[in-house]
Amino acid sequence: MSNKSAKLEVADKNFDFPVLEGTLGPDVIDIRKLYGQTGRFTYDPGFTSTAACESALTYIDGEEGVLLHRGYPIGQLAEKSSFMEVSYLLLNGELPSKTELDDFTYTISRHTMLHEQLATFYRGFRRDAHPMAVMCGVVGALSAFYHDSTDITDPEQRKIASHRLIAKMPTIAAMAYKYTVGQPFMYPDNNLSYTGNFLKMTFGVPAEQYEVHPAIEKAMDRIFILHADHEQNASTSTVRLAGSSGANPFACIAAGIACLWGPAHGGANEAALNMLREIGTPDQIPHYIERAKDKNDPFRLMGFGHRVYKNYDPRATVMQETVREVFDALKVNDPVFEVALQLEEMALNDPYFIEKKLFPNVDFYSGVILSAIGFPTTMFTVLFALARTVGWVAQWNEMISDPEQKIGRPRQLYTGPTERNYVPMADRK
Ligand code: CMC
């Protein structure tokens, strides 16, 4: 708490509100007593000026293009760390010792299998179901299978539920994919890394040996790191809001998955790749840039712009390097990469995009990489959900442990009819 305060004049009366200081980022005006003292609410659709919680997990400076997890820059983590280590860091606050990391990795690998009856649950979905629809359903259903870890007041149960969610998500995601292509489900192989195991469950078949390609395993692990957490974005806020009522962790993560699915959030990489394929060749780029700038055309450059980053998204830089690595490793020669590079260059030199501070975001290149690895576009958001689960779980744990935690209950500016009497059917015009 600082000594600073903010003054507000309402109906000729002056009020002082405390100003809180974090370790980084703007100060925040503590308006918890605003309604009690002034009888007024604040109006902030989209929460663009509202800090809804205190958090020590992730810091973003959108103007400078900075993203830190527990203080460590995303570029360093993507280059030097692993998804398991970043998961430990997010959950526990510090980088692990070798023993701590080995123990954590071992624990996660021991929770990878799904209750066998869940396979039956999958078979209830239509074969052409979108894998995100399957993910929402199956993750929500976990609470029906793992009753022994749904008491959120017990820290041990919270820990087990967190480990289960992180461990089972690759199995659930791979099964969602296998179901849509009509191949048998693959059981986890705990001799493999977290990411290698996921690749095998997705692309392997029981009839053949599956060799994990080291370059793809590394690229995929890095993609998971880049998506692990991102402060109070829409899906994370959804998880927190759902969790604030005391809902069980599996239900909260299912809510997060539902929110992530939207094209303005996790669905953007699918939309970005579709857009690049529609553009097709570099000579078509100017036409699409003009469309994106036209106020009467709903078309937007997918993978461009961000609510928080008003400078380059630091995750996009790593993603662009990863595309090259994957293309070299797999000897892919996809014209879509050339279209992406040229589109980026043209947009970054266009006054419209410069003025509005629109830069490529993480989704601009991720679709290109995932497609080269062999994932259909419908799986892109599933992979995002898999990786983001660690962030959701860490944020959910932080919220439950916060003594100031309250049920989330936003207010509104009511613009509907004022009170009126019920009109019987016969008297209605
Ligand atoms: N193409 C063309 N114009 C754009 C774009 C775009 N991609 N993004 C924003 N603008 C314009 C927008 O029309 C508006 O113009 P004006 O001020 O003249 O009305 C201005 O820039 C500000 O846009 P906004 O929609 O008010 O900004 P926002 O912060 O509310 O939206 C966004 C952020 C990500 C929803 C938006 O930039 C967008 O729709 N981008 C495309 C979808 C996308 O790539 N989403 C992935 C986000 S990153 C992944 C994640 O973290 O989930």
Side-chain angles (χ1 to χ4, degrees), residues 286-351:
H287 167 65
Y288 282 88
I289 291 200
E290 286 314 307
R291 282 191 61 194
K293 288 155 54 174
D294 182 354
K295 283 270 151 267
N296 299 317
D297 188 332
F299 176 78
R300 280 186 167 199
L301 276 194
M302 297 316 284
F304 259 78
H306 198 273
R307 170 57 64 77
V308 180
Y309 293 118
K310 301 302 171 195
N311 197 324
Y312 213 91
D313 178 343
R315 302 168 301 170
T317 319
V318 183
M319 212 49 113
Q320 199 204 55
E321 288 161 14
T322 309
V323 185
R324 283 188 200 282
E325 284 172 22
V326 169
F327 276 35
D328 287 350
L330 296 178
K331 304 198 175 23
V332 174
N333 190 8
D334 189 337
V336 87
F337 185 40
E338 195 48 40
V339 172
L341 284 174
Q342 291 200 28
L343 174 62
E344 175 181 353
E345 195 185 329
M346 275 193 217
L348 291 181
N349 287 305
D350 189 292

Side-chain angles (χ1 to χ4, degrees), residues 230 263-266 268 292 295 300-307 310 315 352-353 356 358 361-363 384:
H230 211 226
H265 194 3
K295 283 270 151 267
R300 280 186 167 199
L301 276 194
M302 297 316 284
F304 259 78
H306 198 273
R307 170 57 64 77
K310 301 302 171 195
R315 302 168 301 170
Y352 173 94
F353 291 88
K356 295 189 188 302
L358 298 170
N361 59 50
V362 68
D363 292 324
F384 192 159

Side-chain angles (χ1 to χ4, degrees), residues 21-32:
E21 281 176 8
T23 46
L24 285 171
D27 293 349
V28 303
I29 304 169
D30 178 353
I31 55 161
R32 277 175 288 186

